[in-house]
Amino acid sequence: MVQKPKIGLVQFDVKLGNPRANIDHVRRAIQDLADQGVNLAVLPEMWSCGFDYSALKDHAAQTPAVLDELCSLAENLNLAVSGTMPELTPDGVYNTHYYINEKGSVQAEYRKVHRFTPAGEGEFEPGARSVLAAAPWGKTGLLTCYDLRFPEQSRALVLAGAIVLIVSAQWPAVRIRHWDVLLQARAVENQAFVIACNRCGKDPELVYGGRSAVISPWGEVIAGAGGGETLLTAALNLYEVKDFRTRIPCLEHRIPEAYDLENIVEK
């Protein structure tokens, strides 16, 4: 197991409907991160094209070629890459979080379960299951943006063995305080590292907040970005997970039957 993986986050202004510009930006950024010895590069949600609903299926049809390009890059640079892109299927388009391992293979695919329909995400099909990636540093849960508001999902991933949670997001600036609080809450309550890459910049509809961060199990922001384009790096000391869970064994103290809706008493 890699005990102290180095993480890199690519916070940038995703160009709406311009995959080539986004791919070129990401390629340069990942190369820079590789030069810094990063083991994992995390990208924003829908990083290849943004939420360009007018051509969503067209962009999704290009995703296999983009994945091939990203897989080759990961293999050549010996690092993992994680982030979401549109996935075209016979059932429709999913917002899919891909985890590409350091050997250049798509190891895990997570279809976003919770869609933020007030912003048009009803255009996507809903995913139906949560996903863990077996990373060299330990089991890693994949999340996407709005999923942060559903603590049950993060907890389920941790109960399944996750010690790290990766969040790929396009979180708007108007609610960026919620982003900050939820990232720390998911880390502390699950005694896990949270790696969260958010988009910055703007499109015709929204301004995005940036503030990508790496949060320790103790809730400490060990690396945090502002609101502009940046590359952020941090090393994870995985011993902190075991240490925190030993000192304060919250997961061992769970009483699942007390949380069952059928057992809640109203008086």
Side-chain angles (χ1 to χ4, degrees):
M1 178 183 287
V2 178
Q3 287 294 335
K4 292 187 178 181
K6 189 171 184 180
I7 310 302
L9 293 87
V10 183
Q11 178 173 295
F12 76 107
D13 183 1
V14 176
K15 304 305 180 187
L16 188 69
N18 192 343
R20 191 68 257 166
N22 296 322
I23 293 166
D24 288 345
H25 183 104
V26 163
R27 175 179 285 276
R28 291 191 300 270
I30 291 177
Q31 179 66 66
D32 286 348
L33 291 173
D35 291 343
Q36 297 179 54
V38 160
N39 302 107
L40 166 69
V42 182
L43 309 174
E45 181 181 17
M46 291 291 288
W47 67 267
S48 62
C49 58
F51 287 98
D52 183 18
Y53 293 116
S54 66
L56 187 61
K57 288 188 176 180
D58 292 337
H59 294 310
Q62 296 179 47
T63 289
V66 178
L67 276 175
D68 286 344
E69 191 169 346
L70 210 56
C71 286
S72 295
L73 189 63
E75 181 181 21
N76 291 337
L77 297 177
N78 191 37
L79 52 67
V81 181
S82 193
T84 98
M85 290 187 285
E87 176 196 6
L88 184 62
T89 77
D91 298 326
V93 179
Y94 291 89
N95 182 349
T96 300
H97 191 155
Y98 294 96
Y99 175 86
I100 299 168
N101 65 26
E102 70 281 1
K103 296 179 182 178
S105 297
V106 177
Q107 182 174 320
E109 301 165 284
Y110 161 63
R111 292 170 171 171
K112 186 177 182 180
V113 170
H114 303 103
R115 301 167 300 162
F116 189 59
T117 54
E121 289 185 30
E123 296 291 321
F124 292 97
E125 296 298 317
R129 62 183 61 186
S130 299
V131 175
L132 284 173
W137 47 85
K139 293 182 181 179
T140 298
L142 305 181
L143 298 167
T144 303
C145 203
Y146 189 45
D147 290 335
L148 270 179
R149 293 189 181 274
F150 300 86
E152 306 94 323
Q153 186 175 20
S154 295
R155 176 52 58 88
L157 288 165
V158 167
L159 292 176
I163 59 174
V164 174
L165 301 172
I166 298 175
V167 186
S168 177
Q170 287 207 31
W171 198 281
V174 69
R175 293 185 292 277
I176 202 64
R177 178 58 181 157
H178 294 184
W179 164 264
D180 293 339
V181 171
L182 290 170
L183 291 180
Q184 289 182 286
R186 297 296 86 85
V188 172
E189 71 194 5
N190 291 299
Q191 301 175 307
F193 280 97
V194 172
I195 301 164
C197 186
N198 192 29
R199 176 195 167 168
C200 63
K202 62 182 179 179
D203 61 26
E205 301 296 328
L206 287 171
V207 176
Y208 296 91
R211 295 186 66 83
S212 299
V214 179
I215 315 291
S216 81
W218 296 91
E220 177 188 2
V221 180
I222 58 177
E229 290 191 340
T230 190
L231 297 181
L232 192 67
T233 63
L236 309 186
N237 182 358
L238 297 176
Y239 174 75
E240 290 186 33
V241 176
K242 182 178 180 180
D243 180 49
F244 190 11
R245 292 182 181 182
T246 299
R247 293 187 188 211
I248 308 176
C250 298
L251 298 177
E252 296 177 19
H253 290 166
R254 294 176 63 252
I255 311 294
E257 57 268 27
Y259 321 141
D260 190 326
L261 292 179
E262 294 183 359
N263 288 336
I264 294 176
V265 177
E266 181 179 351
K267 294 184 177 181

